[in-house]
Every structure is written in structure tokens, then in C-alpha cells.
Amino acid sequence: MAQAFTKTMARNIFYGGTAFFFLLFLALTFDSMGQLPNRDNRAALEGEFGPKIAMGKILWEENDCIGCHTLLGEGAYFAPELGNVYTRFGNSTDAIKGFIQSRPADGIPGRRSMPQFNFSAEELDALAEFLKYVSEINTAGWPPNTQG
Amino acid sequence: MNNKVMGVRRCTWVYLVLMFFSFITYFVGRLELSGLTISLFVLLLALIKGQLVGAYFMGLGRLRGLWRWPVFIWLFIPGTLISIAFYLSA
Amino acid sequence: MTYKSQSVAKLYFIAAIALFAAQILFGLILGLQYVMGDFLFPHIPFNAARMVHTNALIVWLLMAFMGAAYYLVPEESETELFSPLLAILMFWIFLVAAGLTVAGYLLVPYSTLAELTGNDLLPTMGREFLEQPTITKLGIVVVALAFLFNIGMTILKGRKTVINLVLLLGLTGLAVFFLFAFYNPTNVVLDKYFWWWVVHLWVEGVWELILGSILAFVLIKVTGVDREVIEKWLYIIIAMTLITGIIGTGHHYFWIGTPEYWQWWGSIFSAMEPIPFFMMTVFAFNMVNKRRREHPNRAATLWALGTAVMAFLGAGVWGFLHTLSPVNYYTHGSQITAAHGHMAFYGAYVMINLTIISYAMPLLRGRNAANSNKSQIWEMWSFWLMTIAMVFITLFLTGAGILQVYLQRVAENPQPFMVVQDQIALFYWLREIAGLMFFGGLVVYIASFFVGQDEPEATVAQS
Amino acid sequence: MQEQVIDTSDVLHDRHPPGDLAIWIFILAELSVFAVFFAAYAFTRMNNVELFNEFQQHLDRQSALLNTLTLITSSYFVVRAVAAIKENNHKLCVNWLLAAISMGFLFVVIKSAEYAHHFGEGINLSTNTFYMFYLSLTFFHFMHVIMGMVILGAVAIKAKNGGYSDIEHTGVETGASYWHMVDLVWLILFPLVYVMR
């Protein structure tokens, strides 16, 4: 005997299923938004370094750091992960600033090198604070070790 | 008596069995019985219930060919995995 | 070509192929920079080249989607395009905006570009794939809206087929989810959470509706199988895609500060994501096997089948490879991701666009059904060259990724990133060679448009 | 090709499952997700036996039993609805469907009360692994119950308007199959999450 398999039913499943799972996704998103304050280190954003961190993020974006680095594993895979660079550099913002400052303008022959951005002291501060803030987000234990 | 009425009767019996098994499961929980044997017994009841629903309510039991089996397989695989997990943690 | 206004598609297709070439060229530069770190430094730093590589890809895919829509919507609706003029106007706006943006990436430092375009007013730049200046993003919105209007009006006044509706739904979703590109809070977790609403809900959501409808259209044309059959399978496949893909977004929410239950939800649903791709493969081969006629454009059929297979391999298999959270814990943000990204984008989106171009271009250029045999043979050669090259690129990147993950994250004494990069350089060299092969395939592909033009159309051998 | 079904009476040995094939593809997909979830629950429990056993005690087994009975009963009602339409009795079919839907509604009420209790205690998905699974599994199922009610409602409306007959009733069987699936999942969920320890 013939099997019923109708376009109408297929269509209903498409619309119904999509709506169903999108609603479920919204429900989970709603729950996530409620949980984020416990994990996303927003205390730092609201604290005294808040404005610095905000400035640091703008600098991070306006210099396209993500074009070479990853941040929490997302970005380009050309240069080291920076989500945990603060801990990798011994919990030191000074070490981060020193590294950014020390990049040679003409690069290193034959090797990958970070450009020299000529940041001001204030900008360096802001970037370092931003990276410190990111390192204190609860990422469920990622990365597996300090090497990122 | 035609087939259809018989089908409904059969389902009524199945319904009663399902209710009965559910009560057993509940009382096992209520008495807070635990341990591997009890767990597997409860699981087995659940798998039988599932197979009854598949075969009679869904009507897969009277099919020939592949479509007879999806619910059985669905019960079998997670059933086995759950058994293994409970066995290993007992 | 049945309707005169379909011809606007040609502009879009040509520009798409040109940008495709640019994308590959910059891909080669990037590949070389991986092994010769100072190549072109500091004139074209890695990040600038990468922006061109990824943005050119996105723009050319969008252009080809639009071209595909302008081609197939009139034919499906059985009516002329609502406004061919608007389509042409939008084409030039889009092209000029894209051109200026790329020029901006290459000619001035990125921070200068940000300053020139007033990024501080509404900061949206500097996030992966969304590097475009805010003004370009606004331009994209305008172009997308005008495009949707044009397509929507055409469908409204004509026949409403499933292919049309699914395509329109996909394109609308594309525009809607792009709006999240304008949301950029300082809170990095929130930023990333909704950034994925653009990126994931595009490529593993609404774009697949576009992919499915284009594939269905071409299959109807080249196989002659009943529309009714193809359309119901289209519905089932895209239903499965969204059912698995929407919650599948969770596989990006493992390690970015989001709650840990996403590790379960994301793993379970994205483990199901290969299913629709597998169904698509089975579907495409089934339809071709059941074909009721031999279409003289064998190249288009080859591309269609290739799409189904490579999308399954790239998006399905290579995606599954690292989607379970315990695996992803080690592979997240490594060359494994790059491997998956390359094959998935090529298999799903590059190939579907080359499929519709392969089907439509001969008609747009005045042929009856297909190019000459010679041209098709060149095109099929390019298919194999590019596809095999992409398989190798993926395999080499996977090799690089496995080694990277081991040395940097699993081994007893994890080594620093750059030390590890030096140790896997061999794989990068091999990838670059495979990249050159891909480029060769692309050259053959472009050449296929110019060879055999004076020869007669291919015909079907009587069987 | 539109293939029309001409009845599937209880005559034996059909090759195809009742209802539209499309719903069966959907059902199989849903069942797979639940299967993976169940296995994940069991294997995660393996490493957290004490935690799971402790918090399982906090669940309301009575409600779970009631919910089991409502779902089994409504599933049975749906069986009767399908039987009724095969006798070409629209009115009876609609009545059975409405009875099934009200049972589903009862399920929703009981389960909501349970959730209200949990949420009142401040429990959520992030409380611990047990609650993560408990809430994920039951809520995912809960949404299926609602979805099933919507489907049965649509079928009931069409049946009321005489959209089905003893010859053409694929739609009723399609809705029925989905609803049985919702029941089936709960039959495993109930012992696994509430009882087995």
C-alpha cells in the first residue's frame, strides 16, 4: 500500500519544528542572561577600572587584534590566545604592556611579528586592563593550560 | 466481531497493564528501594511499557518490514546504555 | 533564459567570481605568511590580508546568492522582476562599497579606517567577520532591504512556489540576523553571545535555506524530477537543519563565559547536525538517479552532486569531529577549526553558488541549455582540481591541528603557541602547495568561460 | 508525486507506519535526541552517584506518577479517537481528542506546579548537574507536550469540520503518532529520573 508523504505535512513540520526550537533557544537564552552576572566578571566593568576596560575593548577592536589572535578561542589562529594572557604573563599587566611596547617596527626577519602600534601610556593601560578583565571571566576551565 | 473492535479491546488491556506497571514503579520509588537489581527491574518495566505503546498504541506491531522496529531499537539502545551505566556505578 | 530581467544576475555572478579570485589570492598570501612570517610585513600584515580573505568570501557569497535569487525568482514566479533597475543600482552600490572597504583594509592602518569612518559613533568594527566599517554595515542593510523588497514584490505578483518561499525566508533571515552585528556591548560575553547570532544562525541556519532552495531549483531543472517530490524533501531537509542547528548554536557557548549546561545542549544538538547534510546527499543522488531526462549541462549536475557530498563532509563530518564539548575543550580555537571552516564553506556555500552559476551562465550568455563540450570539460576539470585541493587543504590543516592540540594542550609539558607553530610548519607548507593547486583550479574555472565559445552547444547523447 | 493513502484499517501486515511519513522522520529525530539525553544522564550519574541520589529525593514522585497516568490515559484516548474516525464517527473522534487534550492540559498544570515549587526554592539549570539534567529533560519534554496539544487541537478542529473520514484519516493518525511519542518518552523519563537509584 502507498505511504502518505505529503508536502503539506512536510511544510507543517518545517514551520512547527522551527518555531518550537527557536522558542526553546529563546528560553535557554533567557536563562543564560540570568546566569551571566555570576560568570561574566561584570563586576570589573562596573568597578573603578570600568571606563579603562571599555576603552581597552575599543582599542582591541579598532586595531583588529582578532585578525591574528584568538580571544577565548575565537578569532584568527595566527598568534597566541589572549583570553588568558594575563595569567600566562604571571598575573602582571606590566608584562603585557612591556610586550606590546617592545615590538620592532620592521618586524623580525623570517618570523611572525606583532606590529608596533605606538600606543600611549594610557592606551597601554586600557588594553592591559581589558585583557585582565577577560582573563577573569568564568570560562568553565578553558583553556586547558596557561599556554592557551 | 471485526478487527477494529478487537484492536480497541487489545489497547484497553494494554492501557490497564501500563497503568499497573506505573503504580509498581511508583511504589518502588515511594519505598525508596535502591540498588542495581531494583533499578534494572524498574527499567525493564519501562522498556516493556515503551514496547507496548509502540506496538499497540502506535500500531507498529502489525507492520511488516523495517517500520516494525524503530521504537524497539529506540528502547533497546538507550536501555542498554542506561543498564551499563547503572551496572558500572553500582 | 525565459525572462528578460533575469539577465541582471549576470552582473552579480561576474562580480562574485572576481571577488572569489581576490579571496583565493589573499588566501595564498595568508598561507605563505604562516610559514614566512615576515612576508609583506609590515605593508600587508596578516590581519589585513585575512580580512580581505574572509570579507571577500562573505561578500561574493552574498553577491552570488543575490544573483541566484534574481535568476531563479522570476523563473519560479513566472513573471519579470519587479524592478530590474533597482537590482542594477543596488549591484553597483554594493560593489563600490565592497571595493572601498577592501581598499580601506589594504591602504590605511585599520585604526585609521576606524577613525575615518567614525567607528566611535557606533562601534561595530574589529570583530571577526564583522570587521567592515559601520557605514559599510549600514550600506549592507540598505542593499539587503532593497533586494528583499525587489524579490518579495516579484514573488508577490507571481507564482508562489516552495522554492521561492524558502529562498525568501532564508534571505529575510539573513537580513534580520545581520542586525545583531550592530549590538556590541563592552561585556565580552554578551558581545560574543550575540555575535554568534549573526555568524552561526547565518551559516548553520538561514543560509542553509538558501542553499537548499538553490539546490532544489537546479535539481528540478537538470533532472526533470517532479517538483512535488523535490519540494517535500526540501522541506524535510531544511526542517532538520533548523531543528538541529538552532540549539546547535550551543556548541559555541562552551567556553566563552556562558552557563555550563550549554556543553550538553550544544553537544547533543550539534551531534545531530550531520543528519540533514546526509539527507541532502542521499536526496541529491536519488534525484539524479531518478532523472527523467539527460540535461546537456553535465557540469551543473556535477557541481550539484559535489555540493551535496562536500557539504556533508565539510560541515557534517568535520563539524562533528570537534563539536562534542569534551573534544572541543582541546580543539577549540585551533587549526582543527580552520580545517572545518575551509571545507564547510567550500562544500556548502562556494559550491552551491558555482552550481547555480554553472547552470545559469550559459543561458545568461545566450546558449539554449549548456556550454560547448570543450568549455564543460574545462569546467569539470576545475571542479576536480578545486575540490581535491580543498580536500588536501583540509587534511593538512587537520594534521596541523591534531599536532598543535597535542603539543600545546595535551602533552605532559605543554609548549608555547609560537614554539608549536614552528614544529607544525611542514603541514603549513603542504597546505600552501594544496592552495596553489586550488588556485590552478580557479584559473581553469575562469578560463572555462572563455574557451569553446565558437563551438556548438553540447547535446545529449541519445540513449 | 502526491501519494494518497486509502485507509489503513486494522487489517494486518501493512508496510508503513500510520500517519504521514514526514511526521515519522520528525519522530525519529526527536527520539534520537531524547535517547542521547537519557544516555548522557545515566553516564553522568555514574560519576556523581551520591549527588544524583541525594537530589532525586527532592523530586515530587507523586506528581510524576499522576503525570504518568495522565499521559498514558490521554494516549489511550487518542487510540480511541483513531478507532472512532475509522468508524467514520466524527463526533466521537472529536470527543476523544478533546479528552486527550484535557489530559495533556492536566499534565501541564501538574508539571507547572512542580516547576513553581523548584523555582520558588531558587533552583535553576545551573544549580547542579542533577538539576541541570532534571530540568533540561523534563522541560524539553514539557514543551513537547504543549506542541502535541497544539497538534491534537489542530486535528480536532479539522475533524470537527468533517475533514476526515473512514477513508481519509491520515491526519488523525499523524497527530496520534506524535502524541504517542510524547507519551513514550515520558515512560522512560519517569523511572530514569524519579525512581532509579
Side-chain angles (χ1 to χ4, degrees):
Chain A
M1 202 180 71
Q3 167 70 46
F5 179 16
T6 61
K7 195 166 83 184
T8 319
M9 186 52 64
R11 186 199 63 201
N12 292 347
I13 287 174
F14 167 65
Y15 285 115
T18 303
F20 180 89
F21 282 93
F22 196 72
L23 284 175
L24 184 59
F25 184 55
L26 289 182
L28 288 169
T29 295
F30 179 76
D31 182 88
S32 290
M33 291 304 118
Q35 290 301 317
L36 283 191
N38 306 326
R39 309 178 59 93
D40 64 9
N41 193 22
R42 66 180 66 186
L45 297 176
E46 287 148 11
E48 64 170 313
F49 290 105
K52 266 195 178 171
I53 297 171
M55 179 183 169
K57 183 162 187 273
I58 294 281
L59 281 167
W60 165 270
E61 287 167 358
E62 292 190 345
N63 290 284
D64 195 35
C65 306
I66 206 89
C68 295
H69 293 279
T70 49
L71 189 70
L72 304 186
E74 291 162 4
Y77 318 113
F78 188 68
E81 161 70 28
L82 295 185
N84 68 338
V85 69
Y86 176 71
T87 39
R88 184 160 65 242
F89 280 14
N91 294 331
S92 159
T93 45
D94 286 338
I96 295 175
K97 291 191 266 186
F99 186 89
I100 300 175
Q101 267 179 315
S102 68
R103 297 298 88 198
D106 296 322
I108 308 164
R111 295 189 58 79
R112 301 179 198 173
S113 173
M114 182 164 149
Q116 174 52 258
F117 289 100
N118 299 313
F119 288 123
S120 68
E122 190 196 3
E123 289 171 330
L124 281 169
D125 240 19
L127 269 173
E129 283 303 327
F130 170 69
L131 291 172
K132 176 169 182 281
Y133 146 74
V134 175
S135 76
E136 286 160 356
I137 290 170
N138 180 351
T139 55
W142 195 88
N145 61 60
T146 52
Q147 301 298 358
Chain B
M1 199 157 59
N2 67 28
N3 274 324
K4 293 174 188 174
V5 175
M6 266 187 42
V8 171
R9 281 233 174 125
R10 221 180 292 130
C11 285
T12 309
W13 280 109
V14 166
Y15 169 64
L16 294 174
V17 173
L18 291 174
M19 297 292 268
F20 178 61
F21 280 12
S22 303
F23 274 107
I24 298 182
T25 305
Y26 168 72
F27 281 111
V28 168
R30 169 116 195 228
L31 298 172
E32 300 195 358
L33 298 179
S34 62
L36 184 61
T37 324
I38 299 285
S39 293
L40 292 185
F41 169 70
V42 169
L43 181 64
L44 186 67
L45 284 188
L47 297 179
I48 294 172
K49 281 158 73 181
Q51 182 57 19
L52 288 174
V53 168
Y56 293 99
F57 283 12
M58 286 176 150
L60 301 182
R62 62 186 160 76
L63 302 186
R64 277 180 301 151
L66 279 181
W67 280 104
R68 198 184 165 91
W69 302 110
V71 168
F72 180 81
I73 294 168
W74 180 77
L75 290 164
F76 184 78
I77 295 175
T80 311
L81 291 174
I82 293 168
S83 308
I84 292 172
F86 273 78
Y87 174 75
L88 291 177
S89 61
Chain C
M1 203 172 76
T2 335
Y3 296 91
K4 211 170 75 199
S5 54
Q6 286 178 293
S7 62
V8 296
K10 197 170 162 185
L11 279 178
Y12 284 85
F13 288 154
I14 293 171
I17 294 171
L19 282 164
F20 181 27
Q23 183 216 341
I24 301 311
L25 212 58
F26 277 85
L28 290 175
I29 294 176
L30 293 173
L32 207 53
Q33 285 178 332
Y34 256 95
V35 277
M36 294 167 54
D38 59 347
F39 181 63
L40 293 179
F41 189 90
H43 311 291
I44 304 182
F46 181 86
N47 70 310
R50 186 179 191 265
M51 281 192 289
V52 178
H53 182 62
T54 57
N55 286 263
L57 168 70
I58 297 168
V59 171
W60 90 256
L61 293 181
L62 291 180
M63 281 231 169
F65 284 161
M66 290 181 182
Y70 285 132
Y71 182 83
L72 70 80
V73 166
E75 197 159 322
E76 285 283 303
S77 308
E78 297 180 338
T79 173
E80 292 287 351
L81 201 59
F82 177 74
S83 167
L85 187 70
L86 183 64
I88 293 171
L89 182 71
M90 283 305 134
F91 168 78
W92 288 109
I93 292 179
F94 197 18
L95 189 68
V96 169
L100 285 176
T101 305
V102 169
Y105 290 161
L106 293 173
L107 298 179
V108 296
Y110 191 71
S111 55
T112 315
L113 184 64
E115 205 183 313
L116 286 175
T117 56
N119 187 51
D120 286 339
L121 296 174
L122 176 61
T124 65
M125 291 173 72
R127 294 177 301 152
E128 197 185 6
F129 309 130
L130 301 181
E131 295 94 346
Q132 314 82 25
T134 305
I135 186 157
T136 306
K137 289 196 181 86
L138 289 170
I140 292 176
V141 171
V142 171
V143 170
L145 287 180
F147 163 73
L148 277 177
F149 171 72
N150 209 350
I151 292 294
M153 291 305 281
T154 311
I155 294 176
L156 215 57
K157 71 174 174 149
R159 187 170 67 135
K160 286 139 199 89
T161 64
V162 173
I163 288 177
N164 264 344
L165 293 179
V166 171
L167 181 67
L168 186 63
L169 199 63
L171 294 166
T172 311
L174 185 154
V176 168
F177 287 114
F178 184 68
L179 295 180
F180 285 94
F182 293 95
Y183 176 65
N184 182 19
T186 302
N187 187 325
V188 167
V189 183
L190 276 178
D191 174 5
K192 284 174 176 288
Y193 193 97
F194 290 103
W195 178 79
W196 281 114
W197 285 40
V198 185
V199 178
H200 177 93
L201 293 181
W202 264 18
V203 298
E204 286 169 65
V206 291
W207 281 29
E208 292 193 42
L209 305 191
I210 302 171
L211 160 69
S213 58
I214 297 176
L215 187 63
F217 174 80
V218 174
L219 285 175
I220 288 179
K221 295 292 171 185
V222 300
T223 65
V225 170
D226 201 346
R227 171 181 288 276
E228 203 61 26
V229 176
I230 288 191
E231 288 183 339
K232 70 188 177 193
W233 279 106
L234 172 63
Y235 267 136
I236 289 291
I237 289 170
I238 58 176
M240 294 300 292
T241 302
L242 293 189
I243 286 169
T244 56
I246 293 174
I247 307 282
T249 316
H251 61 218
H252 301 294
Y253 295 161
F254 295 162
W255 326 113
I256 61 166
T258 30
E260 284 164 40
Y261 55 78
W262 282 111
Q263 290 178 33
W264 290 102
W265 284 96
S267 299
I268 290 172
F269 278 86
S270 57
M272 305 279 162
E273 279 189 61
I275 296 173
F277 284 106
F278 184 69
M279 288 170 77
M280 196 189 298
T281 314
V282 174
F283 161 70
F285 276 86
N286 244 322
M287 292 306 118
V288 171
N289 283 337
K290 283 188 188 157
R291 67 186 176 276
R292 290 180 173 177
R293 62 162 172 261
E294 296 293 330
H295 196 279
N297 192 343
R298 287 173 300 142
T301 314
L302 181 64
W303 282 112
L305 293 178
T307 305
V309 173
M310 294 303 288
F312 171 64
L313 282 180
V317 177
W318 252 264
F320 180 77
L321 214 63
H322 61 144
T323 201
L324 300 177
S325 64
V327 177
N328 192 262
Y329 181 67
Y330 291 102
T331 60
H332 180 52
S334 69
Q335 294 297 326
I336 303 275
T337 321
H340 160 60
H342 277 84
M343 197 191 250
F345 262 101
Y346 175 74
Y349 297 120
V350 171
M351 288 180 88
I352 191 60
N353 282 326
L354 298 187
T355 304
I356 184 73
I357 290 174
S358 174
Y359 173 76
M361 261 314 213
L363 302 164
L364 289 167
R365 298 172 81 198
R367 296 276 193 181
N368 272 327
N371 278 325
S372 65
N373 260 326
K374 187 173 178 188
S375 166
Q376 285 197 44
I377 287 169
W378 279 61
E379 193 182 337
M380 290 194 268
W381 266 96
S382 79
F383 169 93
W384 289 110
L385 277 171
M386 287 196 278
T387 305
I388 292 172
M390 186 49 78
V391 169
F392 277 113
I393 290 176
T394 307
L395 288 175
F396 293 140
L397 285 179
T398 308
I402 292 172
L403 211 56
Q404 179 193 12
V405 165
Y406 178 76
L407 294 172
Q408 191 183 318
R409 292 177 179 166
V410 180
E412 218 162 297
N413 294 308
Q415 300 173 44
F417 180 90
M418 285 310 299
V419 175
V420 172
Q421 291 295 307
D422 283 341
Q423 297 182 62
I424 57 182
L426 175 66
F427 284 99
Y428 293 142
W429 276 113
L430 292 171
R431 183 267 299 266
E432 183 70 356
I433 293 168
L436 284 170
M437 176 178 167
F438 190 97
F439 185 71
L442 179 64
V443 171
V444 175
Y445 177 72
I446 293 172
S448 77
F449 287 90
F450 300 100
V451 299
Q453 287 309 305
D454 334 319
E455 294 179 23
E457 254 187 72
T459 48
V460 185
Q462 294 300 318
S463 60
Chain D
M1 267 150 293
Q2 188 111 17
E3 290 142 2
Q4 282 302 322
V5 137
I6 327 279
D7 166 82
T8 61
S9 59
D10 269 72
V11 194
L12 297 171
H13 301 318
D14 201 339
R15 261 196 182 282
H16 305 289
D20 198 298
L21 184 68
I23 200 76
W24 281 94
I25 296 174
F26 190 49
I27 287 175
L28 293 188
E30 300 258 57
L31 285 180
S32 335
V33 174
F34 274 109
V36 179
F37 247 127
F38 289 156
Y41 173 93
F43 281 98
T44 309
R45 179 186 174 277
M46 212 168 90
N47 298 320
N48 306 280
V49 178
E50 277 167 25
L51 178 96
F52 274 54
N53 282 353
E54 182 191 338
F55 287 96
Q56 191 179 61
Q57 293 304 93
H58 294 258
L59 302 185
D60 184 349
R61 247 178 263 111
Q62 234 130 342
S63 299
L65 172 69
L66 274 179
N67 271 339
T68 312
L69 301 183
T70 56
L71 279 191
I72 294 176
T73 309
S74 77
S75 224
Y76 175 70
F77 288 171
V78 164
V79 170
R80 298 300 299 253
V82 173
I85 199 64
K86 283 180 183 170
E87 304 280 358
N88 211 8
N89 192 337
H90 303 111
K91 201 155 178 260
L92 191 60
C93 171
V94 173
N95 288 344
W96 281 120
L97 284 174
L98 291 180
I101 294 170
S102 16
M103 279 295 158
F105 186 71
L106 193 59
F107 178 97
V108 169
V109 170
I110 297 171
K111 196 75 216 161
S112 302
E114 249 183 292
Y115 284 142
H117 174 72
H118 293 307
F119 295 153
E121 288 182 336
I123 288 162
N124 60 47
L125 281 167
S126 305
T127 302
N128 63 40
T129 317
F130 176 77
Y131 277 121
M132 194 288 285
F133 272 106
Y134 164 73
L135 289 173
S136 294
L137 272 167
T138 57
F139 185 72
F140 190 37
H141 177 267
F142 183 75
M143 282 189 70
H144 278 81
V145 175
I146 294 172
M147 173 92 148
M149 284 164 65
V150 172
I151 293 175
L152 288 186
V155 172
I157 290 171
K158 191 170 170 190
K160 192 170 161 44
N161 296 333
Y164 302 108
S165 68
D166 53 346
I167 303 172
E168 199 346 73
H169 50 251
T170 314
V172 184
E173 290 184 327
T174 304
S177 298
Y178 188 81
W179 189 253
H180 293 314
M181 184 272 282
V182 174
D183 180 31
L184 182 62
V185 168
W186 181 262
L187 290 184
I188 306 297
L189 212 163
F190 166 51
L192 182 65
V193 176
Y194 285 87
V195 178
M196 287 169 68
R197 47 195 285 109

